[in-house]
Amino acid sequence: MKPIDYLESVRKFLLTDSRVIKHQIIREYEDVGKSYIRARLTLADESFLEFSEYIEQDSGDEIKITKYSYHWIGKDGKMLRRWDNTKHFPNLKNAPHHIHTPTGKAEESITPGAPTKIFMILDEIAKTIDE
């Protein structure tokens, strides 16, 4: 898969996934070897997800999300969770991948994360919404 193909799959997903009731692509860029998307989604429970992904061609026919941020906000405007791979917690297990939660002191609100992409994040959010 090429970065352009991945970007197209995200666009189609946003149009067809029943958890996404509205979306706005704020910015996107596509080229043969790299792509970028930033979007704001309104989800079925009226919460919001703002996300960005930088996608690059890896070796062969593989792609890699090199930088990402997914910021999930409740309908009341409060942060519910944020996933990103900014390199500001180098000592954290699985660094730079981490998750911010709105509980506790700043250092207590960070937990280790894993490489991810928009499809996986929406699956994770759906588990919480469906509970």
Side-chain angles (χ1 to χ4, degrees):
M1 176 181 281
K2 304 279 187 220
I4 292 172
D5 300 327
Y6 176 82
L7 196 59
E8 183 60 27
S9 71
V10 171
R11 284 191 216 109
K12 287 181 182 178
F13 181 76
L14 296 178
L15 288 170
T16 60
D17 190 281
S18 62
R19 298 169 291 195
V20 178
I21 59 173
K22 180 180 169 187
H23 78 278
Q24 175 187 12
I25 296 177
I26 297 167
R27 184 177 298 158
E28 63 183 345
Y29 167 83
E30 54 185 56
D31 197 356
V32 175
K34 58 186 171 182
S35 297
Y36 169 78
I37 186 168
R38 181 174 177 205
R40 181 177 178 137
L41 316 179
T42 303
L43 304 178
D45 70 339
E46 298 180 9
S47 65
F48 303 95
L49 180 67
E50 294 193 25
F51 79 94
S52 63
E53 292 180 335
Y54 288 89
I55 306 102
E56 293 186 15
Q57 186 74 42
D58 204 351
S59 60
D61 218 19
E62 300 294 316
I63 57 133
K64 182 177 182 181
I65 311 293
T66 57
K67 187 174 180 183
Y68 62 82
S69 173
Y70 311 92
H71 192 85
W72 185 26
I73 307 158
K75 63 182 175 180
D76 61 0
K78 294 181 181 176
M79 181 188 79
L80 298 172
R81 196 169 304 150
R82 177 182 168 89
W83 300 259
D84 70 77
N85 65 343
T86 303
K87 299 176 181 178
H88 49 235
F89 298 103
N91 297 325
L92 194 64
K93 182 181 175 186
N94 292 340
H97 310 283
H98 60 279
I99 304 164
H100 299 260
T101 57
T103 58
K105 296 178 183 177
E107 61 274 4
E108 295 170 348
S109 69
I110 307 301
T111 58
T116 192
K117 54 181 86 172
I118 185 59
F119 310 105
M120 297 162 66
I121 294 298
L122 283 172
D123 287 345
E124 186 67 27
I125 289 172
K127 290 177 194 173
T128 304
I129 290 172
D130 293 340
E131 291 178 347

